[in-house]
Amino acid sequence: MRWPSRSVNRLVIAIGLTLGLSAQFIPLNALAAVGFQNAYIRLDRMKINTATGGTVCAQPASVATEGKVLVTFPSTYTVNATATNWTVNTSPIPAGSTIWPGITTATSATSPANVVTFGSGDLTVGILYCFNFAATSTLTTAVGAASSQQASVGTQTAASVAIDTTLVALANISDDQIVVSAVVPPSFSFTLGGNTDSFTTNLDPTSTVSTTGKTVTILTNAKGGWIAWAKDSQQGLRSATAAYTIPVAGTVNGVPSTLSNGVEGYVLDTDLTTDAVGGCTLVIDPEYNGIGTASGGTLSAAFQPIAACTGGTANSDVITLIERAAISGATPAATDYTDTITVVGAGNF
Amino acid sequence: MTEVYRSRSKQVVQVFMLSALVVGGFLMPAAAGAAASKPLNLVTSPLPISLSVPPGTTVTTDLRVKQAGPDTERLKVTLMKFSAFGDEGKPRLLDRALGDDYFDWVKFDKPEFDASSNVWQSVKMTISVPKSAAFGYYYAVVFSRTGDDKAPTGEAQPTAAYNGGSAVLVLLDAKVPNAKRELGLVSFTTQHRIYEFLPSAFDVKFKNTGNVHAVPHGNIFILSGKKQLASLDINDAQGNILPGSNRLFPLEWQDGFPHFEKVTEDGKVKLDKKNQAVMHMVWSNGGAGAGEVSPHLRFGYYTAHLFAVYDDGTRDVPMEATVGFWVIPWRFLLGVLLVIVLIGAGVYAATRGAVRGVRKIGKRR
C-alpha cells in the first residue's frame, strides 16, 4: 500500500481547515441547546428548610416544538420523588406573563438529581410563559442559608431533544417573613357637642321653651357597651340676681314629666339621635325619654342614668340633650337664669 | 317748607342713630361676655380595670386620657364611686358619701394637668389598701375640663351649661379569706310565649349574693325536641355583677327563615316616633345562620336551656334553667287556611251547581 501523494495530503488538509473555519460561523443553536431569552424560578418561601411551591417562567429563544419542561433544583434542596405530588396551576402568574400552554403535572421527579419534568405544549419564541407548582410534598429548601445555589430551567421536545436551557440561581435565608403586630387598646371616646346650651327664645308663660340641644357622641370598643349619667347643680334654672329658681318638674320615677304652659317647670329630655349599626343596642332611660316638645326627665342632685347601650361595642352612638322650661306669669324677670348639668359617660363594667 | 322738612328728617335720623348706639351699647357687653359653647372630646383607656390585691399592700395602675379637641385643655381628675341599683341592676354613679373612707386610699400623680390636642396623657392612680380592707371597692375616675362646672354668665338667653366627663371604672378586690363570691339565677324568661317569627328574646337575671364582684358566663341552648339548634353566649363581654345587685343579660335567637331585623339607614338604626327600632322582615336566615343557603324554617315548640357558671374562687359553680316557647307563623298559616277555604268553597259551589243542573235536566226528562 502506498501513501497518498503530497497533493492529496494538501487537499485533505485544505478541506479540514475549511471545515474548521466554517464551523465557527454556523449558528450555535443548530448544534446544541441555547439559553432562554429570560428564565427564572421564584419560590414562595426563601426560608431555610421550608416546604415551598413556586413559579417557573421562561421566554423561549429557539424555534422548536416543546414537549417537556425540566426544572433542576439545587443539590442542597430536597425534591420529593413522587411525581404526582408536583401538580401545577396557572393562576396567579406574574403580570405581563402568559399561561404556560399544555403544562401538566410532573411526569417524573428524581432525587438526588433533583430534576422535575413537566409536560409542556408548544411555545412561541419571545413570549414569557409561567406556571406554578404546588407546595405540598414537593420541594423543601436547603437546610443552610446560602446564596447563588444553581438551578436550571430547560425545555425539550417530546423526543427529549434539548431546546433551551438556562441556569438560574436560588438563595435561602434564615427567615423570610416579618411578623406584624399591633395593639388596639380598649378605649372609650366621649364627645360633648358644647358646654353651653341656650334656650331658643326668652322663657314665656304661654309656651314651653327648649334649648337648641347638645349632642353626646360615644365610640367604644368595650364589649359591654356604655352608660351615661347626668346630675344637676341646683335642680332648676337659677337666677342669682332674682334669687329665684325655676324648679325641676316631677320626680325621678321612671316616667318623663310633661310641662304645662303657665306652670313653672324644668326638665331634661334625652333624644336618641343615632344608634349606630352593628354594635350595642342604645336605650334612653325611660325617665329622660321625653315625648314631644314639652316633656323630659327630672334632674336630680345625684347622678341618674340617662342612656345605656348594651350588648356590644359602639361606633358613634349619638344622644341629644335638650332642656325644656315653662314659667308662670309670676316668675321673676331676670336675664341670668342658668343651670349646670354634669354629664358623665363610661364603658360598661 | 322743604328746608324745614329736610332738617326735621335729619334730626329724626340722628336721634334714631343715637338710640341705636345707646341700645347697642347696652347689648354689646352681654353679647361679648357670652362665652362660645365649646365642645369637649375625651378618649380614655383602658376600660374597666380589675385590681385584686391583699390588704396592706399598695397597687398602682395607669389611666390614660387624650383630649381630641383642637386646643390644649386643662383637665382635672375627680374620684367617684359606682354601684348598681334596681331590679335590672342599672349602673349608678355616686359622689363620695359620709363614711367612704376608701376614697382616702387613692392618690393621683396628676390631679390636674394640661392636655395637648391628641396627645395621650398617663395618670397614675395609686391605691394604698389598708390591712383593715376587705372585699370589693368600686371607684369611678372622672376626667373633665376645669371650669366647666361654673355657671355661664352673660348669655343673651337663659342657658344651661354642661360639665362633661369621661369615667374609667376601677374594681378593687381586697382579697381576704372570708370573701364570699356567690351568684344566684334570679330568673330566666322569654319575652313572649309565642313568636310569629324569630328573633325570640330572652332575659337572664343574676343576683350577686356575695360580698365581692363576680362574673357569670355560659350559654342558652335552643332545642327542638332533643336536637340542639343554636347556642347563645351569656355575658361574653365578661361583665361584672356587684355585691348585692342584680344584672340583666338580654339575648336574642335570630337564626330563622324568615326573621325580623332592625331597619338601618346610613349606618344608623331607623327609629319610630317612640324611639323604638323599626323592624322589617328579611327573607333569609338571621344570626349565626346568615349566609347559609338552606332556609332555617322555625315552626313549633322549642325549649331554651340555660347553663351558666361562675367562679367562686375555688371552683365553677353551675346554674341551670329551662324555658319553653312556640314559633307559629300564624298570619302565614291563616293565609294558607283562607286559600284552602276559598278553594274548598269554590269546589263546593261548582259541585253543587253541577248537581243542581243534573237534577234539573233529570226533572225535565
Side-chain angles (χ1 to χ4, degrees):
Chain A
M1 186 178 167
R2 286 183 61 198
W3 288 102
S5 66
R6 183 175 287 176
S7 59
V8 172
N9 285 342
R10 284 176 181 168
L11 181 63
V12 169
I13 291 166
I15 290 168
L17 283 170
T18 305
L19 286 172
L21 285 169
S22 302
Q24 305 306 312
F25 298 100
I26 294 171
L28 196 61
N29 62 1
L31 291 176
V34 297
F36 290 100
Q37 291 179 17
N38 180 18
Y40 61 85
I41 301 170
R42 189 189 68 194
L43 299 182
D44 297 338
R45 299 293 308 272
M46 291 180 74
K47 186 181 179 180
I48 55 173
N49 202 23
T50 300
T52 182
T55 302
V56 177
C57 293
Q59 189 172 358
S62 306
V63 178
T65 303
E66 285 83 357
K68 305 172 188 174
V69 53
L70 287 76
V71 182
T72 307
F73 293 100
S75 58
T76 50
Y77 282 47
T78 304
V79 167
N80 188 309
T82 305
T84 51
N85 290 349
W86 291 80
T87 57
V88 295
N89 66 71
T90 52
S91 179
I93 56 173
S97 66
T98 301
I99 291 171
W100 195 300
I103 193 72
T104 64
T105 298
T107 53
S108 78
T110 61
S111 180
N114 286 2
V115 180
V116 182
T117 305
F118 301 91
S120 171
D122 188 21
L123 308 179
T124 302
V125 171
I127 294 176
L128 180 66
Y129 297 99
C130 292
F131 69 93
N132 308 312
F133 59 88
T136 307
S137 302
T138 53
L139 184 66
T140 304
T141 57
V143 173
S147 57
S148 299
Q149 298 170 95
Q150 185 175 300
S152 71
V153 180
T155 47
Q156 292 182 353
T157 64
S160 301
V161 176
I163 303 171
D164 291 321
T165 299
T166 290
L167 300 177
V168 297
L170 296 177
N172 297 116
I173 51 179
S174 58
D175 201 352
D176 62 349
Q177 292 179 331
I178 298 168
V179 177
V180 179
S181 59
V183 173
V184 178
S187 65
F188 176 80
S189 170
F190 172 95
T191 305
L192 183 60
N195 63 345
T196 58
D197 192 14
S198 297
F199 283 83
T200 52
T201 63
N202 288 338
L203 302 186
D204 184 346
T206 63
S207 64
T208 296
V209 182
S210 301
T211 59
T212 313
K214 289 294 172 201
T215 57
V216 175
T217 305
I218 289 174
L219 292 89
T220 181
N221 53 10
K223 287 175 75 178
W226 57 269
I227 327 146
W229 301 270
K231 74 169 182 177
D232 191 30
S233 60
Q234 51 215 356
Q235 294 83 67
L237 278 168
R238 174 77 181 164
S239 166
T241 56
Y244 189 79
T245 301
I246 301 167
V248 295
T251 56
V252 179
N253 58 0
V255 179
S257 304
T258 302
L259 301 177
S260 302
N261 295 344
V263 179
E264 286 184 345
Y266 172 61
V267 292
L268 169 67
D269 185 16
T270 305
D271 285 352
L272 199 170
T273 305
T274 301
D275 181 0
V277 169
C280 54
T281 301
L282 174 52
V283 176
I284 303 294
D285 191 274
E287 171 69 32
Y288 296 93
N289 195 8
I291 299 159
T293 56
S295 77
T298 305
L299 285 158
S300 163
F303 278 106
Q304 299 293 336
I306 55 171
C309 201
T310 55
T313 58
N315 190 14
S316 287
D317 288 337
V318 183
I319 58 174
T320 303
L321 308 176
I322 301 169
E323 290 73 38
R324 306 190 193 280
I327 57 170
S328 71
T331 303
T335 59
D336 62 343
Y337 280 101
T338 64
D339 180 36
T340 302
I341 298 167
T342 301
V343 182
V344 175
N348 213 340
F349 58 90
Chain B
M1 182 74 181
T2 310
E3 282 291 316
V4 173
Y5 176 76
R6 277 184 184 162
S7 173
R8 282 187 182 167
S9 302
K10 204 172 177 181
Q11 283 175 344
V12 168
V13 169
Q14 283 172 345
V15 168
F16 176 76
M17 288 178 71
L18 188 63
S19 304
L21 278 172
V22 170
V23 172
F26 279 116
L27 291 177
M28 282 296 281
S37 185
K38 196 174 183 188
L40 175 69
N41 185 344
L42 296 176
V43 186
T44 49
S45 180
L47 294 170
I49 299 171
S50 285
L51 302 171
S52 185
V53 292
T57 58
T58 296
V59 62
T60 299
T61 186
D62 274 341
L63 310 174
R64 301 179 73 229
V65 62
K66 176 176 79 171
Q67 76 83 16
D71 306 318
T72 296
E73 302 280 9
R74 183 91 180 148
L75 300 183
K76 66 176 179 181
V77 184
T78 307
L79 189 62
M80 296 185 187
K81 62 181 180 179
F82 72 97
S83 67
F85 73 102
D87 196 38
E88 297 181 0
K90 284 184 182 178
R92 178 161 54 183
L93 188 65
L94 298 157
D95 290 306
R96 180 176 182 165
L98 279 174
D100 288 340
D101 296 339
Y102 62 96
F103 275 57
D104 298 330
W105 307 348
V106 179
K107 294 280 184 289
F108 298 101
D109 66 339
K110 291 190 287 188
E112 264 191 39
F113 55 93
D114 288 324
S116 302
S117 173
N118 279 311
V119 176
W120 281 102
Q121 304 278 339
S122 190
V123 175
K124 284 195 186 307
M125 177 186 188
T126 302
I127 310 173
S128 303
V129 185
K131 287 184 177 174
S132 58
F135 316 132
Y137 302 91
Y138 306 104
Y139 299 103
V141 181
V142 180
F143 294 94
S144 59
R145 183 165 53 199
T146 58
D148 275 0
D149 51 352
K150 303 278 191 305
T153 55
E155 301 291 337
Q157 303 290 346
T159 299
Y162 287 114
N163 176 24
S166 182
V168 177
L169 307 181
V170 180
L171 296 92
L172 173 69
D173 175 15
K175 291 184 344 188
V176 289
N178 55 341
K180 186 180 171 190
R181 206 178 286 269
E182 185 178 85
L183 296 179
L185 178 64
V186 177
S187 62
F188 172 44
T189 56
T190 175
Q191 288 181 7
H192 304 286
R193 281 286 174 194
I194 300 172
Y195 296 90
E196 185 180 8
F197 296 106
L198 297 189
S200 55
F202 306 97
D203 287 331
V204 183
K205 192 187 291 181
F206 297 104
K207 183 176 179 68
N208 187 330
T209 50
N211 51 25
V212 69
H213 53 281
V215 180
H217 62 94
N219 297 89
I220 293 173
F221 300 101
I222 308 291
L223 305 166
S224 176
K226 289 184 178 177
K227 186 183 176 188
Q228 183 183 318
L229 301 175
S231 170
L232 313 175
D233 290 336
I234 301 169
N235 192 21
D236 62 341
Q238 296 290 296
N240 289 276
I241 304 176
L242 305 188
S245 70
N246 293 344
R247 187 153 183 179
L248 183 72
F249 296 94
L251 291 156
E252 283 188 344
W253 179 38
Q254 299 170 321
D255 183 9
F257 177 96
H259 67 284
F260 285 108
E261 271 184 15
K262 291 174 183 171
V263 177
T264 60
E265 285 179 352
D266 302 328
K268 302 174 188 175
V269 175
K270 189 176 179 182
L271 304 169
D272 62 15
K273 288 178 182 175
K274 293 180 178 175
N275 272 347
Q276 299 297 311
V278 177
M279 307 294 280
H280 69 143
M281 189 174 288
V282 178
W283 292 89
S284 62
N285 299 322
E292 288 185 31
V293 178
S294 60
H296 295 176
L297 298 167
R298 306 303 183 197
F299 178 66
Y301 183 73
Y302 298 89
T303 53
H305 182 74
L306 177 148
F307 184 82
V309 295
Y310 68 92
D311 179 5
D312 72 349
T314 55
R315 66 187 182 93
D316 279 350
V317 180
M319 295 172 282
E320 286 188 79
T322 300
V323 66
F325 62 98
W326 290 86
V327 179
I328 303 172
W330 57 273
R331 276 186 289 195
F332 174 75
L333 292 177
L334 278 179
V336 170
L337 188 65
L338 185 65
V339 169
I340 290 169
V341 167
L342 287 174
I343 290 171
V347 169
Y348 173 76
T351 309
R352 195 176 167 195
V355 169
R356 282 182 177 176
V358 169
R359 282 179 183 167
K360 278 181 183 176
I361 291 167
K363 282 180 181 176
R364 281 177 192 165
R365 284 180 180 172

